Amino acid sequence: MPQRHSKHNAFFTYEEKRKLGYGTQKERIGKDSIKPFDACSLCLKPFIDPLCCHKGHIFCKDCIVLCLLAQKKEITRKLAAHAAQQRQEKEEEEEKLVLQNAQKLDAFDRQNRGAVAKDDDWSYIRDQKNGFQGANSVKITSFEEKALRNTKAFWLPSATPEAPAQVKAPPTDTVCPEGKEKLKLRTLFPIHFTEETSDHIHARAAGSLNHSSYICPSCKDSLTNTTALVAVSTCGHVFCKKCSDRFIAKDKICLVCNKECKEKNLVRLKKGGSGYSGHGDQLEATDFRHLGC
């Protein structure tokens, strides 16, 4: 039943309130918004020479190589900035130590020469001008005078001093752009999908003629986003999870090339996610920058 609007004395139906933005807005994501399982996780295009990490993320060979090289350049830049900051801090500490020693020597020299009483007006004015007020006083150095002259007003937004940016020591390991775990190029392994070569491929719709269709080499079922896929890291062949659990996990051998494998060599591939939802994952902003961004 529509509710009466208290301000304009009008009624709104459920459809009108939904279009106005009231309540929880829900919308079903279409097929075009889902990343295909055979697409690169970086360029989002059908992969070329695919490489897979041990967490199941698939990348084009060129994309992941460029991404890791960009990460190494960024790490080198941050390490250089951190080293420069450490050198600057060390120089500042040394300069402060030299100034402290100079102040101590100056104070010791004045104590040895004898202090002038403050009742002597001329000597008092002269010592006030030079920054000396007694036996235990220290003369203001040029560094302190410059600091006093450059002191900005904290109560004026335009004159507030800016704190120097602290550069933290960056991690020296490259990471996977999807899983955020440590990743090296030598840990990636190539994967091989079995293409469908039956006679009824030509009967497919015109929109999918340019799209390769892959099947499980064991059961010959077509692979889709809804199919759980498992890759053998020793040889790179991809099977559906049912065949992997039923045959490969028990026999410890690949059904295509008869290459021996262990249970740890069976890597479950990640399904294609959506650009609008995180598959239930917790999304948070990071300092990481993807290739091309």
Side-chain angles (χ1 to χ4, degrees), residues 10-25:
F11 290 95
F12 291 103
T13 62
Y14 172 79
E15 187 65 22
E16 290 174 342
K17 289 194 296 183
R18 191 182 70 84
K19 290 183 178 180
L20 289 174
Y22 291 97
T24 304
Q25 300 295 318

Side-chain angles (χ1 to χ4, degrees), residues 69-82:
L69 288 177
Q71 290 185 43
K72 288 183 177 180
K73 290 182 180 179
E74 185 69 13
I75 291 173
T76 304
R77 184 190 66 81
K78 290 184 177 180
L79 287 174
H82 180 65

Side-chain angles (χ1 to χ4, degrees), residues 26 42 79 89 180 222:
K26 295 181 180 180
L42 285 175
L79 287 174
E89 291 177 353
K180 307 304 180 185
S222 297

